Amino acid sequence: MYGRKRNAPVTDLLITINILIFLYVSLRGGAGDSEVLIRYGASYTPYLIEKHEYWRLLTAAFLHFGIRHLGNNMFVLFVTGDSLEHALGGGKYLLFYLLSAIGASACSFAVEYWSGQAVISAGASGAVFGVLGGLIWVLLRNGGRFEQFRIRNLLFFSGVMLLVGFSSEGVDNAAHAGGLFVGFLLAILFYRRPAATASITDMT
């Protein structure tokens, strides 16, 4: 464990927004109701193709099918998001998160389109996998260590999460794998390792 004080306003804001939206949608008919989720912005392949409602690629990342779905995603975001926010800075990190969400949803949509499926997709997991992918790049650029994370541990954790998804039903694995890949690529573009500060020794 590391002893520094938590300082991640963007991550905490994203978590708060997800929770508030979940509560709002639940009060409007239930987050587990597919029709309600579509009404409030879930990704739905026919609407993307026929109505060109591409904004759903983003809004879907702020909707969840149930409290467990929300809780799992927000827990991982809480644990990992602050370190990536520190690495990128608040503004870049927010843009990174939103682009990861869109990219993950786009990967999911592409797989659904080519497989001829009409699937309702929602959840922050694609963006969260984007955060994991971004952190992997940051760790690689810092010799395999950054704050409380180590590259071996993070790769293992990411791999387990992917395997759990592929071994479970009703999981949007395309969004998970796509988010991880998109996040890694975005971090290559966004992250700049700070130059080492030379120390000055007083010789007097």
PDB file of all heavy atoms in Angstrom, residues 84-111:
ATOM      1  N   LEU A  84      -3.670   6.643 -13.511  1.00  0.00           N
ATOM      2  CA  LEU A  84      -3.615   7.123 -14.890  1.00  0.00           C
ATOM      3  C   LEU A  84      -3.925   8.611 -14.956  1.00  0.00           C
ATOM      4  O   LEU A  84      -3.333   9.341 -15.768  1.00  0.00           O
ATOM      5  CB  LEU A  84      -4.596   6.339 -15.766  1.00  0.00           C
ATOM      6  CG  LEU A  84      -4.483   6.627 -17.264  1.00  0.00           C
ATOM      7  CD1 LEU A  84      -3.094   6.262 -17.794  1.00  0.00           C
ATOM      8  CD2 LEU A  84      -5.553   5.876 -18.051  1.00  0.00           C
ATOM      9  N   GLU A  85      -4.798   9.075 -14.089  1.00  0.00           N
ATOM     10  CA  GLU A  85      -5.086  10.513 -14.033  1.00  0.00           C
ATOM     11  C   GLU A  85      -3.837  11.289 -13.634  1.00  0.00           C
ATOM     12  O   GLU A  85      -3.551  12.362 -14.186  1.00  0.00           O
ATOM     13  CB  GLU A  85      -6.220  10.779 -13.052  1.00  0.00           C
ATOM     14  CG  GLU A  85      -6.643  12.242 -12.980  1.00  0.00           C
ATOM     15  CD  GLU A  85      -7.863  12.473 -12.117  1.00  0.00           C
ATOM     16  OE1 GLU A  85      -8.577  11.495 -11.799  1.00  0.00           O
ATOM     17  OE2 GLU A  85      -8.109  13.641 -11.751  1.00  0.00           O
ATOM     18  N   HIS A  86      -3.071  10.768 -12.687  1.00  0.00           N
ATOM     19  CA  HIS A  86      -1.820  11.428 -12.293  1.00  0.00           C
ATOM     20  C   HIS A  86      -0.814  11.434 -13.435  1.00  0.00           C
ATOM     21  O   HIS A  86      -0.083  12.401 -13.626  1.00  0.00           O
ATOM     22  CB  HIS A  86      -1.202  10.710 -11.090  1.00  0.00           C
ATOM     23  CG  HIS A  86      -2.066  10.719  -9.881  1.00  0.00           C
ATOM     24  ND1 HIS A  86      -1.949   9.799  -8.865  1.00  0.00           N
ATOM     25  CD2 HIS A  86      -3.113  11.526  -9.522  1.00  0.00           C
ATOM     26  CE1 HIS A  86      -2.850  10.046  -7.939  1.00  0.00           C
ATOM     27  NE2 HIS A  86      -3.567  11.082  -8.314  1.00  0.00           N
ATOM     28  N   ALA A  87      -0.789  10.345 -14.199  1.00  0.00           N
ATOM     29  CA  ALA A  87       0.178  10.229 -15.291  1.00  0.00           C
ATOM     30  C   ALA A  87      -0.146  11.171 -16.445  1.00  0.00           C
ATOM     31  O   ALA A  87       0.767  11.772 -17.035  1.00  0.00           O
ATOM     32  CB  ALA A  87       0.223   8.783 -15.796  1.00  0.00           C
ATOM     33  N   LEU A  88      -1.439  11.320 -16.757  1.00  0.00           N
ATOM     34  CA  LEU A  88      -1.830  12.114 -17.917  1.00  0.00           C
ATOM     35  C   LEU A  88      -2.169  13.560 -17.575  1.00  0.00           C
ATOM     36  O   LEU A  88      -2.026  14.450 -18.415  1.00  0.00           O
ATOM     37  CB  LEU A  88      -3.044  11.480 -18.606  1.00  0.00           C
ATOM     38  CG  LEU A  88      -2.883  10.067 -19.165  1.00  0.00           C
ATOM     39  CD1 LEU A  88      -4.184   9.611 -19.818  1.00  0.00           C
ATOM     40  CD2 LEU A  88      -1.744   9.999 -20.170  1.00  0.00           C
ATOM     41  N   GLY A  89      -2.625  13.792 -16.349  1.00  0.00           N
ATOM     42  CA  GLY A  89      -3.189  15.094 -16.011  1.00  0.00           C
ATOM     43  C   GLY A  89      -4.694  15.049 -16.226  1.00  0.00           C
ATOM     44  O   GLY A  89      -5.197  14.294 -17.073  1.00  0.00           O
ATOM     45  N   GLY A  90      -5.413  15.866 -15.481  1.00  0.00           N
ATOM     46  CA  GLY A  90      -6.872  15.795 -15.470  1.00  0.00           C
ATOM     47  C   GLY A  90      -7.535  15.955 -16.826  1.00  0.00           C
ATOM     48  O   GLY A  90      -8.396  15.158 -17.204  1.00  0.00           O
ATOM     49  N   GLY A  91      -7.136  16.981 -17.598  1.00  0.00           N
ATOM     50  CA  GLY A  91      -7.763  17.245 -18.887  1.00  0.00           C
ATOM     51  C   GLY A  91      -7.538  16.125 -19.887  1.00  0.00           C
ATOM     52  O   GLY A  91      -8.475  15.645 -20.538  1.00  0.00           O
ATOM     53  N   LYS A  92      -6.295  15.706 -20.030  1.00  0.00           N
ATOM     54  CA  LYS A  92      -5.978  14.612 -20.953  1.00  0.00           C
ATOM     55  C   LYS A  92      -6.655  13.316 -20.523  1.00  0.00           C
ATOM     56  O   LYS A  92      -7.119  12.540 -21.356  1.00  0.00           O
ATOM     57  CB  LYS A  92      -4.460  14.395 -21.017  1.00  0.00           C
ATOM     58  CG  LYS A  92      -3.726  15.330 -21.955  1.00  0.00           C
ATOM     59  CD  LYS A  92      -2.272  14.887 -22.073  1.00  0.00           C
ATOM     60  CE  LYS A  92      -1.513  15.770 -23.043  1.00  0.00           C
ATOM     61  NZ  LYS A  92      -0.101  15.321 -23.186  1.00  0.00           N
ATOM     62  N   TYR A  93      -6.691  13.096 -19.227  1.00  0.00           N
ATOM     63  CA  TYR A  93      -7.292  11.865 -18.717  1.00  0.00           C
ATOM     64  C   TYR A  93      -8.786  11.813 -19.030  1.00  0.00           C
ATOM     65  O   TYR A  93      -9.303  10.765 -19.427  1.00  0.00           O
ATOM     66  CB  TYR A  93      -7.066  11.764 -17.210  1.00  0.00           C
ATOM     67  CG  TYR A  93      -7.824  10.640 -16.541  1.00  0.00           C
ATOM     68  CD1 TYR A  93      -7.443   9.313 -16.730  1.00  0.00           C
ATOM     69  CD2 TYR A  93      -8.923  10.905 -15.728  1.00  0.00           C
ATOM     70  CE1 TYR A  93      -8.143   8.279 -16.117  1.00  0.00           C
ATOM     71  CE2 TYR A  93      -9.614   9.884 -15.110  1.00  0.00           C
ATOM     72  CZ  TYR A  93      -9.220   8.572 -15.313  1.00  0.00           C
ATOM     73  OH  TYR A  93      -9.914   7.552 -14.709  1.00  0.00           O
ATOM     74  N   LEU A  94      -9.490  12.920 -18.876  1.00  0.00           N
ATOM     75  CA  LEU A  94     -10.914  12.956 -19.191  1.00  0.00           C
ATOM     76  C   LEU A  94     -11.137  12.653 -20.668  1.00  0.00           C
ATOM     77  O   LEU A  94     -12.007  11.851 -21.025  1.00  0.00           O
ATOM     78  CB  LEU A  94     -11.512  14.321 -18.831  1.00  0.00           C
ATOM     79  CG  LEU A  94     -12.994  14.517 -19.179  1.00  0.00           C
ATOM     80  CD1 LEU A  94     -13.859  13.482 -18.468  1.00  0.00           C
ATOM     81  CD2 LEU A  94     -13.441  15.931 -18.833  1.00  0.00           C
ATOM     82  N   LEU A  95     -10.351  13.299 -21.544  1.00  0.00           N
ATOM     83  CA  LEU A  95     -10.467  13.040 -22.975  1.00  0.00           C
ATOM     84  C   LEU A  95     -10.128  11.580 -23.278  1.00  0.00           C
ATOM     85  O   LEU A  95     -10.800  10.930 -24.085  1.00  0.00           O
ATOM     86  CB  LEU A  95      -9.538  13.978 -23.751  1.00  0.00           C
ATOM     87  CG  LEU A  95      -9.539  13.828 -25.276  1.00  0.00           C
ATOM     88  CD1 LEU A  95     -10.929  14.074 -25.845  1.00  0.00           C
ATOM     89  CD2 LEU A  95      -8.521  14.780 -25.903  1.00  0.00           C
ATOM     90  N   PHE A  96      -9.081  11.071 -22.628  1.00  0.00           N
ATOM     91  CA  PHE A  96      -8.683   9.677 -22.794  1.00  0.00           C
ATOM     92  C   PHE A  96      -9.833   8.746 -22.440  1.00  0.00           C
ATOM     93  O   PHE A  96     -10.131   7.799 -23.185  1.00  0.00           O
ATOM     94  CB  PHE A  96      -7.477   9.384 -21.899  1.00  0.00           C
ATOM     95  CG  PHE A  96      -7.072   7.939 -21.853  1.00  0.00           C
ATOM     96  CD1 PHE A  96      -6.063   7.466 -22.672  1.00  0.00           C
ATOM     97  CD2 PHE A  96      -7.690   7.045 -20.981  1.00  0.00           C
ATOM     98  CE1 PHE A  96      -5.699   6.125 -22.643  1.00  0.00           C
ATOM     99  CE2 PHE A  96      -7.322   5.710 -20.945  1.00  0.00           C
ATOM    100  CZ  PHE A  96      -6.318   5.254 -21.777  1.00  0.00           C
ATOM    101  N   TYR A  97     -10.482   8.986 -21.320  1.00  0.00           N
ATOM    102  CA  TYR A  97     -11.570   8.117 -20.858  1.00  0.00           C
ATOM    103  C   TYR A  97     -12.729   8.128 -21.851  1.00  0.00           C
ATOM    104  O   TYR A  97     -13.262   7.056 -22.211  1.00  0.00           O
ATOM    105  CB  TYR A  97     -12.041   8.571 -19.480  1.00  0.00           C
ATOM    106  CG  TYR A  97     -13.104   7.677 -18.876  1.00  0.00           C
ATOM    107  CD1 TYR A  97     -12.746   6.595 -18.079  1.00  0.00           C
ATOM    108  CD2 TYR A  97     -14.461   7.898 -19.116  1.00  0.00           C
ATOM    109  CE1 TYR A  97     -13.717   5.758 -17.527  1.00  0.00           C
ATOM    110  CE2 TYR A  97     -15.435   7.073 -18.582  1.00  0.00           C
ATOM    111  CZ  TYR A  97     -15.052   6.004 -17.789  1.00  0.00           C
ATOM    112  OH  TYR A  97     -16.004   5.173 -17.256  1.00  0.00           O
ATOM    113  N   LEU A  98     -13.123   9.302 -22.310  1.00  0.00           N
ATOM    114  CA  LEU A  98     -14.250   9.410 -23.227  1.00  0.00           C
ATOM    115  C   LEU A  98     -13.938   8.748 -24.567  1.00  0.00           C
ATOM    116  O   LEU A  98     -14.785   8.049 -25.140  1.00  0.00           O
ATOM    117  CB  LEU A  98     -14.623  10.881 -23.425  1.00  0.00           C
ATOM    118  CG  LEU A  98     -15.093  11.625 -22.177  1.00  0.00           C
ATOM    119  CD1 LEU A  98     -15.366  13.090 -22.498  1.00  0.00           C
ATOM    120  CD2 LEU A  98     -16.339  10.971 -21.579  1.00  0.00           C
ATOM    121  N   LEU A  99     -12.721   8.935 -25.062  1.00  0.00           N
ATOM    122  CA  LEU A  99     -12.330   8.303 -26.322  1.00  0.00           C
ATOM    123  C   LEU A  99     -12.225   6.788 -26.171  1.00  0.00           C
ATOM    124  O   LEU A  99     -12.563   6.036 -27.094  1.00  0.00           O
ATOM    125  CB  LEU A  99     -10.995   8.873 -26.808  1.00  0.00           C
ATOM    126  CG  LEU A  99     -11.020  10.315 -27.309  1.00  0.00           C
ATOM    127  CD1 LEU A  99      -9.613  10.776 -27.684  1.00  0.00           C
ATOM    128  CD2 LEU A  99     -11.959  10.463 -28.507  1.00  0.00           C
ATOM    129  N   SER A 100     -11.768   6.330 -25.009  1.00  0.00           N
ATOM    130  CA  SER A 100     -11.723   4.889 -24.751  1.00  0.00           C
ATOM    131  C   SER A 100     -13.131   4.301 -24.749  1.00  0.00           C
ATOM    132  O   SER A 100     -13.361   3.206 -25.285  1.00  0.00           O
ATOM    133  CB  SER A 100     -11.044   4.606 -23.407  1.00  0.00           C
ATOM    134  OG  SER A 100      -9.677   4.919 -23.438  1.00  0.00           O
ATOM    135  N   ALA A 101     -14.064   5.021 -24.149  1.00  0.00           N
ATOM    136  CA  ALA A 101     -15.453   4.569 -24.124  1.00  0.00           C
ATOM    137  C   ALA A 101     -16.009   4.456 -25.536  1.00  0.00           C
ATOM    138  O   ALA A 101     -16.639   3.448 -25.900  1.00  0.00           O
ATOM    139  CB  ALA A 101     -16.304   5.528 -23.289  1.00  0.00           C
ATOM    140  N   ILE A 102     -15.774   5.481 -26.346  1.00  0.00           N
ATOM    141  CA  ILE A 102     -16.261   5.468 -27.732  1.00  0.00           C
ATOM    142  C   ILE A 102     -15.580   4.358 -28.527  1.00  0.00           C
ATOM    143  O   ILE A 102     -16.221   3.626 -29.282  1.00  0.00           O
ATOM    144  CB  ILE A 102     -16.020   6.839 -28.391  1.00  0.00           C
ATOM    145  CG1 ILE A 102     -16.881   7.909 -27.710  1.00  0.00           C
ATOM    146  CG2 ILE A 102     -16.329   6.783 -29.884  1.00  0.00           C
ATOM    147  CD1 ILE A 102     -16.556   9.330 -28.142  1.00  0.00           C
ATOM    148  N   GLY A 103     -14.262   4.237 -28.360  1.00  0.00           N
ATOM    149  CA  GLY A 103     -13.521   3.216 -29.093  1.00  0.00           C
ATOM    150  C   GLY A 103     -13.961   1.810 -28.748  1.00  0.00           C
ATOM    151  O   GLY A 103     -14.118   0.947 -29.629  1.00  0.00           O
ATOM    152  N   ALA A 104     -14.179   1.549 -27.460  1.00  0.00           N
ATOM    153  CA  ALA A 104     -14.639   0.224 -27.028  1.00  0.00           C
ATOM    154  C   ALA A 104     -16.024  -0.078 -27.586  1.00  0.00           C
ATOM    155  O   ALA A 104     -16.289  -1.189 -28.063  1.00  0.00           O
ATOM    156  CB  ALA A 104     -14.647   0.145 -25.505  1.00  0.00           C
ATOM    157  N   SER A 105     -16.913   0.912 -27.538  1.00  0.00           N
ATOM    158  CA  SER A 105     -18.259   0.727 -28.080  1.00  0.00           C
ATOM    159  C   SER A 105     -18.210   0.502 -29.589  1.00  0.00           C
ATOM    160  O   SER A 105     -18.986  -0.294 -30.135  1.00  0.00           O
ATOM    161  CB  SER A 105     -19.134   1.945 -27.764  1.00  0.00           C
ATOM    162  OG  SER A 105     -19.369   2.075 -26.383  1.00  0.00           O
ATOM    163  N   ALA A 106     -17.309   1.204 -30.270  1.00  0.00           N
ATOM    164  CA  ALA A 106     -17.171   1.040 -31.719  1.00  0.00           C
ATOM    165  C   ALA A 106     -16.697  -0.367 -32.064  1.00  0.00           C
ATOM    166  O   ALA A 106     -17.166  -0.975 -33.039  1.00  0.00           O
ATOM    167  CB  ALA A 106     -16.209   2.081 -32.280  1.00  0.00           C
ATOM    168  N   CYS A 107     -15.768  -0.901 -31.276  1.00  0.00           N
ATOM    169  CA  CYS A 107     -15.307  -2.276 -31.490  1.00  0.00           C
ATOM    170  C   CYS A 107     -16.449  -3.260 -31.293  1.00  0.00           C
ATOM    171  O   CYS A 107     -16.613  -4.215 -32.070  1.00  0.00           O
ATOM    172  CB  CYS A 107     -14.162  -2.601 -30.528  1.00  0.00           C
ATOM    173  SG  CYS A 107     -12.613  -1.736 -30.872  1.00  0.00           S
ATOM    174  N   SER A 108     -17.248  -3.038 -30.259  1.00  0.00           N
ATOM    175  CA  SER A 108     -18.400  -3.892 -30.001  1.00  0.00           C
ATOM    176  C   SER A 108     -19.396  -3.816 -31.145  1.00  0.00           C
ATOM    177  O   SER A 108     -19.903  -4.847 -31.620  1.00  0.00           O
ATOM    178  CB  SER A 108     -19.067  -3.466 -28.690  1.00  0.00           C
ATOM    179  OG  SER A 108     -20.253  -4.195 -28.461  1.00  0.00           O
ATOM    180  N   PHE A 109     -19.666  -2.619 -31.606  1.00  0.00           N
ATOM    181  CA  PHE A 109     -20.606  -2.422 -32.711  1.00  0.00           C
ATOM    182  C   PHE A 109     -20.112  -3.113 -33.978  1.00  0.00           C
ATOM    183  O   PHE A 109     -20.896  -3.754 -34.700  1.00  0.00           O
ATOM    184  CB  PHE A 109     -20.792  -0.929 -32.964  1.00  0.00           C
ATOM    185  CG  PHE A 109     -21.482  -0.610 -34.255  1.00  0.00           C
ATOM    186  CD1 PHE A 109     -22.806  -0.969 -34.464  1.00  0.00           C
ATOM    187  CD2 PHE A 109     -20.805   0.048 -35.275  1.00  0.00           C
ATOM    188  CE1 PHE A 109     -23.446  -0.676 -35.669  1.00  0.00           C
ATOM    189  CE2 PHE A 109     -21.434   0.339 -36.474  1.00  0.00           C
ATOM    190  CZ  PHE A 109     -22.753  -0.026 -36.676  1.00  0.00           C
ATOM    191  N   ALA A 110     -18.813  -3.008 -34.256  1.00  0.00           N
ATOM    192  CA  ALA A 110     -18.252  -3.637 -35.460  1.00  0.00           C
ATOM    193  C   ALA A 110     -18.441  -5.145 -35.433  1.00  0.00           C
ATOM    194  O   ALA A 110     -18.836  -5.759 -36.435  1.00  0.00           O
ATOM    195  CB  ALA A 110     -16.774  -3.289 -35.585  1.00  0.00           C
ATOM    196  N   VAL A 111     -18.179  -5.765 -34.281  1.00  0.00           N
ATOM    197  CA  VAL A 111     -18.340  -7.216 -34.155  1.00  0.00           C
ATOM    198  C   VAL A 111     -19.806  -7.604 -34.308  1.00  0.00           C
ATOM    199  O   VAL A 111     -20.145  -8.589 -34.998  1.00  0.00           O
ATOM    200  CB  VAL A 111     -17.787  -7.706 -32.795  1.00  0.00           C
ATOM    201  CG1 VAL A 111     -18.163  -9.164 -32.552  1.00  0.00           C
ATOM    202  CG2 VAL A 111     -16.278  -7.530 -32.748  1.00  0.00           C
TER     203      VAL A 111
END
